[in-house]
Amino acid sequence: MKFLSALSVAVLGAVACTKTQAPELEGVTVEPSQITIVKGETAELSFAVTPKDAFWEGVYWQSSDETVATVDQDGVVTAVATGTAEISVHVDSFNDVCTVTVKGGPLESLVLNETALSLFVGGTSQLSFTYNPEDADFDPSSAKWSSADETVATVDGTGLVTAVGTGETTVTLTAGEITAECSVSVTGEASVGDFFYSDGTWSADLDLDKTCIGVVFYAGHHENDLSDYSSTGIGSVKCHGYVLALNNANEEVCAWGPNADLGNYPLDEDGDGYMLNSGNVKDADYSGFLHTMNMKAAAAGGLSSALEGYPAAWYALGYDVDAPENTSDWFLPSISQLYAALTETVLEKVEQANGYMPQNQECYASSTEDGSYPESSICYVWYGINMCSWDAKDMSRYYVRSVLAF
């Protein structure tokens, strides 16, 4: 026991002597003082004391923002998310800081807001993009747009595509080795009598390899169409033409709807509604889509075959042929649209496409109210007698022939 006590005293004395002999700590320095690392990767920091042989008792590592970077007690830094954090080392009462910048990983993909566009000559469409991962080390302004065929469509530095000529091309966004593509199809204006197909295209001659769903009865946006097609598949306020369905939407006659003034009629220079007839109907009212939406909004409990459900609009909107995505979908035509559609030029093409031909004295309802008696009367076409007239809304005498805008 005496021997062990003597030995312990000797050891303690040696330690005290070593501490006394070592220089006093004057400072600490992190090495390196700043680093940049990629999210998910690690880096090892070290430190040096001044003087080199100074005595010190403990070290502690700390991050100013662990959501950006963490550090363990061996000085190993782990990058967590993009940003900047300060990693500090504390040795006794001294400390120093390393500024750590975390950048994103490499760009993995580009995602366009559209992968296919259908445009008319002269039309435009704005492409945009996002990228993955969201915190990639990538400058969006460095991405470049290009068109494979600028005689069909061009694209500027912002992604604005302009249709130049008919045909097809591909618009490509490129960032280094990463690309994203959008196919662009450009068509010219349609003509009255063109066959309209289920894929949203048309042709002057019937293409038996496609499914014909109607015939174009007016080309371009009529100046007296007050409808706004921007919320439809057309994607713009104005349309490019109108199509008559090949067949009736109802097999049995129906009523138009209940007595109520929906405002579905043009106004004269004094702001008053006026009666439309065969003498003034040709171009007065092309707002069939707008009128149909008014009927839909007014239907008590929603559109239906019941009188209060505005059955004419219900049949028109429910026509059992799918409309192409780039159209307005089917609606009940206005009186001027109906008058233009049920003409010999158009119906000859309907017959050629094996569509239903109107029979003599069949009455076809329009979405236009009689401006003189809008609460109770609507305008219709009396086929075979070649006249436009007006009659009671609640009378079951009307056939429905749907149309669409494209």
Side-chain angles (χ1 to χ4, degrees), residues 36-61:
T36 298
I37 54 178
V38 175
K39 184 181 111 173
E41 295 186 355
T42 61
E44 187 172 357
L45 302 180
S46 61
F47 69 93
V49 297
T50 303
K52 293 181 179 181
D53 54 350
F55 174 82
W56 52 274
E57 294 183 341
V59 60
Y60 176 69
W61 293 91

Side-chain angles (χ1 to χ4, degrees), residues 2 9 67 86 92 95 101 141 148 150 167 177 180 184 186 221 225 229 238 253 264-265 277 324 340 377 403:
K2 290 181 180 180
V9 171
T67 64
E86 291 185 340
D92 293 350
N95 63 78
T101 300
S141 65
E150 293 193 341
E177 300 298 319
V184 180
V186 180
H221 182 96
D225 183 0
Y229 298 102
K238 294 185 177 182
V253 292
N264 287 2
Y265 46 86
N277 52 49
S377 303
V403 301

